[in-house]
Amino acid sequence: MDRLEDFFRSNRKEFDRLKADASIWEGIESRLEPATEPVQAPIRRSLWSNYGAIAAALALLVVAALWLYSPAPTTVPPLKSRVGLEVNDIFPDIALRDPDGEIIPLASLKGKIVLVEFWASYSKICTEDHCYFFKPIYNEYKDKGFEIYAISVDSSAASWVDAIQRDELDWLQVSDLEGFRSPMVDLVEDNQLPTTYLLDQNGRIIAKNLDVELLEDTLSQILAFN
């Protein structure tokens, strides 16, 4: 009410000339309205602006925390570009941890004939191959320059280690325990386990997915004089 009286008092000369008309009050309202609206509108905008800034800051903190506390990758280099490896390709230089936590680079086996095998403890085909086929071949040629670099696609450390101990698998065992989320799976043909690559002394693929007889024949020829 005080604002209305002040308005009439300061504009008295104009009102002395006015004639009674409904449009007069509309004009008065439009002149009074700016005095109230600009005060509140910036406050609303300011509040929402602050809420947005706070939400953005929290989102950045969450992303930073996830990045800082994520486990470091153990593959060198990323393998996305090496899908579909063929004979005569150089196998990627990967490095994964064994059950004791030690990092074993594939490159450390250069100078040997290496069978890179992808397997899983839950695959009956894999475990049967280990017990009935790989073990005799490994025992025959391990002292002649042959090694197996077995990459498990398990996600359970307990299952992985239990299978190694149960079947007495003496060759190199490594994994990142990421299961089928692992970048290693890019090297598994058609998600089929086991998948194997036979590498020469320089890490070049000389055969893929050999059956047991052909693997033994190949090793006997290459390592005949060792």
Side-chain angles (χ1 to χ4, degrees):
M1 190 65 179
D2 292 338
R3 256 189 333 106
L4 191 59
E5 289 177 354
D6 291 339
F7 180 85
F8 276 100
R9 191 177 298 112
S10 58
N11 296 276
R12 182 167 182 172
K13 291 183 179 179
E14 294 181 37
F15 282 106
D16 287 342
R17 295 192 294 270
L18 291 176
K19 295 181 181 180
D21 192 322
S23 63
I24 293 174
W25 297 106
E26 293 176 6
I28 293 172
E29 286 179 0
S30 67
R31 293 175 65 180
L32 285 172
E33 186 65 20
T36 59
E37 184 61 23
V39 176
Q40 296 181 3
I43 293 175
R44 295 192 197 102
R45 285 196 295 270
S46 177
L47 284 173
W48 283 112
S49 177
N50 288 338
Y51 292 149
I54 292 170
L58 288 173
L60 287 173
L61 285 173
V62 170
V63 171
L66 289 173
W67 186 85
L68 286 172
Y69 293 102
S70 295
T74 55
T75 60
V76 183
L79 301 174
K80 287 291 184 183
S81 62
R82 301 307 303 268
V83 177
L85 292 174
E86 300 296 340
V87 172
N88 292 324
D89 287 346
I90 295 293
F91 198 87
D93 183 14
I94 60 180
L96 296 169
R97 296 184 186 275
D98 68 9
D100 295 324
E102 181 181 352
I103 295 177
I104 310 294
L106 181 59
S108 66
L109 302 178
K110 281 192 176 180
K112 294 186 175 185
I113 300 297
V114 179
L115 183 71
V116 177
E117 180 213 13
F118 291 88
W119 73 289
S121 64
Y122 51 79
S123 170
K124 186 176 181 180
I125 296 176
C126 291
T127 54
E128 286 181 349
D129 280 359
H130 287 163
C131 293
Y132 302 117
F133 305 123
F134 283 8
K135 286 180 91 171
I137 291 175
Y138 182 71
N139 291 333
E140 175 71 22
Y141 294 101
K142 66 180 181 180
D143 296 327
K144 300 178 181 180
F146 174 62
E147 187 57 78
I148 299 177
Y149 189 84
I151 303 171
S152 169
V153 295
D154 280 272
S155 56
S156 167
S159 297
W160 175 45
V161 173
D162 180 66
I164 294 170
Q165 294 175 346
R166 181 192 64 228
D167 296 335
E168 298 179 346
L169 307 179
D170 297 330
W171 49 85
L172 293 175
Q173 303 285 343
V174 295
S175 180
D176 59 10
L177 294 175
E178 291 292 330
F180 270 82
R181 297 174 301 173
S182 170
M184 295 295 108
V185 176
D186 290 341
L187 302 178
V188 178
E189 290 201 337
D190 300 322
N191 291 334
Q192 180 178 342
L193 298 175
T195 289
T196 61
Y197 298 88
L198 188 64
L199 313 183
D200 67 11
Q201 290 91 336
N202 297 311
R204 188 178 298 277
I205 299 171
I206 56 178
K208 294 168 55 177
N209 297 321
L210 289 173
D211 62 35
V212 177
E213 290 183 2
L214 192 52
L215 173 60
E216 188 166 19
D217 289 344
T218 303
L219 291 177
S220 64
Q221 293 177 30
I222 297 175
L223 302 174
F225 301 103
N226 287 19

